[in-house]
Amino acid sequence: MNENRLETVFCGIKFKNPIIPASGTFGYGREYEEFYPLSSLGGISVKGTTGKRRNGNLPPRIAETPSGMLNSVGLQNPGIDSFIEKELPYLKTKNTVIIANIAGSTVSEYEEIAGKLDSTDVDMLEVNISCPNVKAGGAAFGVSCEGAGTITKIVRRATKKPVMMKLSPNVTDIASIAKACEAEGADAVSLINTLLGMRIDINIRRPILHNNVGGLSGPAVFPVAVRMVWQVANAVNIPVCGMGGVSSWEDAVEMMLAGASLIQVGAALFTDPMTPVKIIDGLEDYCRRQNTDLKDIVGTVKPW
Amino acid sequence: MKYCQGLYPIIRKENPAAEVYGLVILCPEIAAIAKCGQFVNIRIDGFTLRRPVSICEIDRQKGTLRIVFQIRGKGTDAMSLLNPGDLIDMVAPLGGRGFTLQEGANAIIIGGGIGNPPMLELAKFYGGNATVISGFRNAAAVILQEDFKSTGAKTFLCTNDGTAGEKGFVTDILGRELQTHTPDIICACGPMPMLKGVAAIAKEKGIRSEVSLEERMGCGVGGCLVCACRTVKDGEEIFAHVCKDGPVFDSKEVFPNE
């Protein structure tokens, strides 16, 4: 029997546990190392990185909502070259799986970034085709099977590293998008990115977010995410990384039962920065009580 | 930098003005490392986002922090219901850059409204070498005046409507004070128009100045990048983040055109 009951293999990569801070909520990890060693995490999905430095959108970029929040950061990041030069060497010393989250405004930008990462120490690529906060590219590719397939194909060709496509929930049929990614050679899919939303300040009659609209995350989206993970996991033969409102170990178990092999945690970090380590502790107890390896529960929900 | 997260007991509560509350919190591990100008991030049951609040006073001997905040919405309203004996969930001390503390220097310290609390710890540092200028909307909003006086600083009070202290704005008093003496540094916290006015005066007189900013925050530590603030450094536009790059900035970076 394996001593570490949380260990899992995903796209051929060994994860000591399935808990990963979600892209865009954890920077490149440095800030959270002040709370706990990054080596306690299964992996880290780094801030979405583009070909060139991006300043992002004007503030305010965040608005609270019932059981959640909207954000409109707009992919602020230092650019791929700076990531490779300044952030990756640091992350490499942390003994955790490094997932490079990448985003582009054009097909060739995705190709360029994936190509640059191919010869680096990142373990896998998570391809963001679902950012709701940028004008060009981003979600535009993720809302059609054709767009999602095109980006998958181009990234697949540019790298030998495992490719995980990050899907948008702002679509009619997310399972068909996942299938399009699988058909073009994706090794995995991750979902869900944020749901497009809006809040208005009733006193000044203007949107709270300067970008007018933004992405909804937090516990409010959790049931939507579980449903989509379940639909996608049943539609494809590649593994699924689930996220969207996970804030406790019970949520993580629920999403794994729906079909997720890995779990990303985002907005919950803002409520409690210790959330990932609390979830890992809770999962260990759960496996002990249920006398099971965690990977064996994936997708085992029995539908009515 | 080290962050602490935990539940800390509230040992004192005050209500110095309508909708303004103060808490003294016993948190020796935070008080030992907190710096002037930093803030705490407070979790409130039932809310996704924490509420960032500036540190008003640090007492290392007693191991306490004092915070003073205004009710701005449902979250801060719930915070105002906390009482001595209750535990408060804080992540602290946050802020990569606080106020510059220059031994033996002369400082003019300016607070506007709920921007006054973070200036108290600074006034304590400069003591008799400080001039504190506090501005409020009206007499009912005035807070912390006895505290500022007890630091030994020279103090001025003004209100927009003249119901307490002089009638006028902090920038009026600042302009007048600068006619008689030139400080080494001017530090301010308050509404953006006030900070802009202070920055313009400081630039005109060639005096170094620092401003403490506020922005809607997510993580509070620099991981989520939501609390962006447009700054210009060495001619380059940079979207800095209030939580990690601030909350205190050189006013020239925030108001490059003033």
Side-chain angles (χ1 to χ4, degrees):
Chain A
M1 193 182 71
N2 191 341
E3 211 171 287
N4 179 0
R5 308 196 97 165
L6 303 193
E7 190 178 287
T8 190
V9 175
F10 186 92
C11 296
I13 301 164
K14 191 156 88 178
F15 287 74
K16 66 183 77 124
N17 64 63
I19 303 304
I20 301 163
S23 176
T25 62
F26 206 74
Y28 294 104
R30 293 177 193 271
E31 291 77 15
Y32 284 87
E33 179 110 72
E34 309 297 332
F35 292 105
Y36 38 82
L38 300 181
S39 61
S40 54
L41 304 167
I44 294 175
S45 178
V46 305
K47 174 67 195 173
T49 302
T50 51
K52 296 228 158 36
R53 191 186 89 167
R54 282 181 62 100
N55 267 338
N57 293 323
L58 287 170
R61 295 176 173 182
I62 190 166
E64 197 168 39
T65 67
S67 293
M69 52 168 275
L70 294 172
N71 92 80
S72 57
V73 172
L75 288 177
Q76 181 173 13
N77 79 94
I80 188 65
D81 294 336
S82 178
F83 166 71
I84 292 170
E85 190 188 324
K86 295 183 183 147
E87 307 297 340
L88 193 51
Y90 162 82
L91 281 169
K92 200 58 210 168
T93 64
K94 298 303 169 188
N95 186 29
T96 190
V97 176
I98 305 165
I99 303 172
N101 184 291
I102 65 168
S105 304
T106 60
V107 175
S108 59
E109 189 178 354
Y110 280 99
E111 185 176 22
E112 178 202 337
I113 306 167
K116 281 183 175 175
L117 286 169
D118 190 49
S119 54
T120 67
D121 284 330
V122 304
D123 295 294
M124 67 186 293
L125 272 57
E126 178 175 50
V127 185
N128 182 353
I129 49 168
S130 44
C131 178
N133 293 322
V134 293
K135 286 188 178 67
F141 295 112
V143 293
S144 75
C145 291
E146 193 190 356
T150 301
I151 301 297
T152 307
K153 188 195 249 174
I154 217 86
V155 172
R156 172 73 292 157
R157 248 194 255 150
T159 182
K160 293 177 291 297
K161 297 197 185 279
V163 171
M164 175 162 77
M165 303 302 290
K166 184 166 177 180
L167 308 183
S168 171
N170 304 307
V171 296
T172 312
D173 178 12
I174 195 165
S176 64
I177 309 260
K179 280 200 269 193
C181 294
E182 181 181 34
E184 295 297 347
D187 299 290
V189 287
S190 60
L191 62 141
I192 58 174
N193 204 320
T194 53
L195 283 146
L196 199 58
M198 182 177 191
R199 294 222 68 185
I200 296 168
D201 182 326
I202 59 168
N203 295 310
I204 60 169
R205 303 187 189 186
R206 301 199 76 167
I208 292 176
L209 298 174
H210 196 277
N211 192 50
N212 299 320
V213 298
L216 179 67
S217 59
V221 311
F222 179 67
V224 179
V226 171
R227 182 265 295 179
M228 289 189 161
V229 163
W230 183 64
Q231 288 177 325
V232 167
N234 282 306
V236 298
N237 294 310
I238 50 177
V240 175
C241 173
M243 75 191 90
V246 174
S247 40
S248 65
W249 68 265
E250 292 95 330
D251 292 345
V253 168
E254 193 173 333
M255 197 168 265
M256 293 182 89
L257 290 170
S261 301
L262 295 178
I263 299 291
Q264 290 188 23
V265 179
L269 286 161
F270 305 163
T271 313
D272 180 359
M274 304 304 289
T275 303
V277 289
K278 286 181 181 169
I279 291 179
I280 292 164
D281 286 349
L283 291 174
E284 278 166 358
D285 285 345
Y286 175 78
C287 288
R288 203 173 306 126
R289 282 197 311 276
Q290 297 262 329
N291 193 25
T292 180
D293 284 353
L294 192 59
K295 63 178 187 307
D296 294 337
I297 74 164
V298 173
T300 58
V301 62
K302 272 190 271 178
W304 296 104
Chain B
M1 230 186 306
K2 162 147 180 23
Y3 306 135
C4 303
Q5 189 261 331
L7 289 164
Y8 303 94
I10 294 165
I11 57 176
R12 205 154 60 80
K13 182 180 183 178
E14 59 186 316
N15 181 197
E19 309 219 310
V20 177
Y21 290 84
L23 299 173
V24 175
I25 301 155
L26 183 63
C27 50
E29 57 176 357
I30 298 171
I33 54 175
K35 290 196 242 104
C36 180
Q38 287 188 304
F39 64 98
V40 301
N41 215 1
I42 296 168
R43 179 175 180 177
I44 308 150
D45 278 345
F47 293 85
T48 300
L49 299 176
R50 287 173 180 259
R51 298 311 192 255
V53 181
S54 65
I55 296 172
C56 175
E57 277 193 87
I58 305 163
D59 188 328
R60 293 196 211 286
Q61 248 126 43
K62 290 185 185 147
T64 59
L65 292 185
R66 179 186 182 192
I67 59 169
V68 175
F69 62 92
Q70 186 175 38
I71 296 180
R72 290 279 186 88
K74 288 175 187 162
T76 39
D77 190 37
M79 246 166 73
S80 74
L81 301 177
L82 291 167
N83 284 306
D86 291 343
L87 297 173
I88 189 165
D89 182 335
M90 289 197 301
V91 174
L94 301 180
R97 181 172 165 187
F99 288 110
T100 302
L101 302 178
Q102 210 179 319
E103 285 297 341
N106 283 289
I108 292 185
I109 296 169
I110 304 169
I114 201 61
N116 275 282
M119 309 319 276
L120 181 55
E121 186 62 27
L122 189 61
K124 279 163 63 185
F125 174 82
Y126 285 107
N129 288 333
T131 299
V132 174
I133 306 170
S134 284
F136 298 91
R137 226 176 13 256
N138 52 41
V142 175
I143 54 168
L144 298 175
Q145 294 309 294
E146 289 309 311
D147 296 278
F148 280 127
K149 283 197 185 93
S150 70
T151 64
K154 189 170 154 193
T155 60
F156 293 95
L157 170 66
C158 62
T159 50
N160 298 2
D161 63 0
T163 48
E166 301 174 32
K167 183 175 193 298
F169 298 101
V170 293
T171 40
D172 302 334
I173 300 176
L174 173 63
R176 198 177 67 211
E177 277 300 294
L178 292 179
Q179 285 169 6
T180 58
H181 82 287
T182 303
D184 299 298
I185 190 164
I186 299 172
C187 298
C189 183
M192 278 308 249
M194 181 199 103
L195 297 181
K196 203 169 174 179
V198 169
I201 293 170
K203 187 177 179 186
E204 186 199 323
K205 300 278 183 183
I207 303 165
R208 177 171 180 198
S209 80
E210 293 183 334
V211 292
S212 180
L213 304 184
E214 182 178 56
E215 186 52 75
R216 285 173 184 262
M217 282 184 192
C219 67
V221 299
C224 74
L225 312 183
V226 307
C227 57
C229 161
R230 185 182 168 273
T231 62
V232 175
K233 214 172 179 177
D234 304 325
E236 192 185 9
E237 182 184 57
I238 296 168
F239 274 50
H241 297 97
V242 173
C243 72
K244 193 185 179 189
D245 302 315
V248 178
F249 292 86
D250 187 314
S251 67
K252 287 199 295 286
E253 294 170 18
V254 182
F255 304 105
N257 304 320
E258 295 317 306

